[in-house]
Amino acid sequence: MHWGLTTRYKILLEINNAVITNTSRDDFFKALSRELKKHFYYDRLSIFLYDEEIRSLKYFTVADGIQPEGFTANTRPLASSGIANMVIQSLKPLIIDDLSHYSGHASIGSMVRAGLTSTMAFPLIVRNRILGTLHISFKETPDYLSELFEILTDVSKQVAIAVGNMIAYTQLIDEKQHLEREKQYLISASEDYRPDNFLYVSPAMVEIMKLVERVADIDAPLLITGETGTGKDYIARYIHFISPRRNHLFVKVNCPALPPSLFESELFGHAKGAFTGADSQRAGRFEMADKGTVFLDEIAELPVSLQAKLLQVIQERQFERVGDSRPVKVNFRLIAATNKNLSERIREGKFRQDLYYRLNIVQIHVPPLRERREDISFLIEHINKLEATEMNRPAPKYTEQAIEFLRSYPWPGNVRELKNLVKRMVILKPDETISLSDIEKFVGTENDLNIKNNNSGCTLAESEHRCIERALIKCRGIVGGPDGAARFLGVPKSTLQYRLKKYELKPVDYARK
């Protein structure tokens, strides 16, 4: 059989038109099989897609009259793939006019047992990258095998381009679906911040939540202040959950964890090739939060040198990716939080005044737990039930003395410390009665560490005041003696008395019957 130049061009054009619109793997390979069958006789068509990372092949077989199931797909290691392995290693087409000479190889032996006598294989190469191989096999070897091999070599080049497009499209769809699943997961995660998950009864928190609901549907920047563990993150997520932006992402930025060298890349993203290791374009936090909410946690810890860059993005609502001069416009709601006094930070030169004014349009201050003691017993009851249910354990019970002690405890770690304590009791004492002595064994261990390291965002004087107050509570107002607060703190009685006078603390206020 002879194919002239015009006929060859026509065949290539028809094959291209037949497969170019098929972007799914199944549709693509079936369309290719139908079109090749119009122009060439063969008994089996197979295409192997090569995965270089795991050195394996995903192969698709369209069997015409040999395998009744027709279109099949399987995976096998490259080393066990015989003919495909030879082609991928050499990057050259291969023709075998007598398969029986290779019947000792498992994959070729199966072809012989299926009645095939000869085959041709072609590498599918696009931009010097091997994508896989194309195989045409026969039960009866055609007399014009050499001429067919020649034209199919040209056809394979056209098929390689179509396969490359198909793979790129498939990867794009997979990535889009993956991102959509991630987005839905992140959005569904905000279900944890539903109104019925907020636990409070104190008048102070009632007023706070009224303010939260008033500001939820506006787009003005919001500043949330309060000590560590009061629930600033929770409030921010709750605002997002009840806002018109709830169907888009809530993107949290932990400011202290941002190294200056990665600040721009993390927040603004980078273009492909912007720096060593930037193998692809990457979206930054602000771009991810488009139409959603950006939460800048512990913003007071952001270095002054980086605050100016942040201010510009907040003002202009656009930025440039690292390595790219094209502006990217974004639409986001900004919420910031801090456990520091920003006015003091401004006086110390550690926080930009213009950034403060930009953030502080509306401020919500979350009071510490010691200023809303009405919530303590309520929180203990509900957290106790919740943690017991999650751990599938019977909930412990608290004596009145234990609850009273916890109500009077200063809670420097606030709700976070309270939750950790209740969770610890569920783990260690399920279905038991928690007494005052049980509580005293656990309260203070991690709290002492917070005080000594001054991690609660307060001054040294405030930390000392809380430490003495906690000792008085634990020792029931006793100052001296073996059971007194001075011994508990490891200081002379006279020193403690001086501190009591300094902070106007009266031991009698902490005595309990």
Side-chain angles (χ1 to χ4, degrees), residues 225-226 298 300-301 338-343 345 454 456-458:
T225 61
E298 303 302 344
E301 302 295 337
T338 180
N339 62 5
K340 306 292 185 184
N341 186 321
L342 291 185
S343 297
R345 302 282 286 187
N454 195 27
S456 59
C458 54

Side-chain angles (χ1 to χ4, degrees), residues 116-127:
L116 298 171
T117 61
S118 57
T119 189
M120 294 180 288
F122 308 88
L124 301 176
I125 302 173
V126 176
R127 292 186 291 274

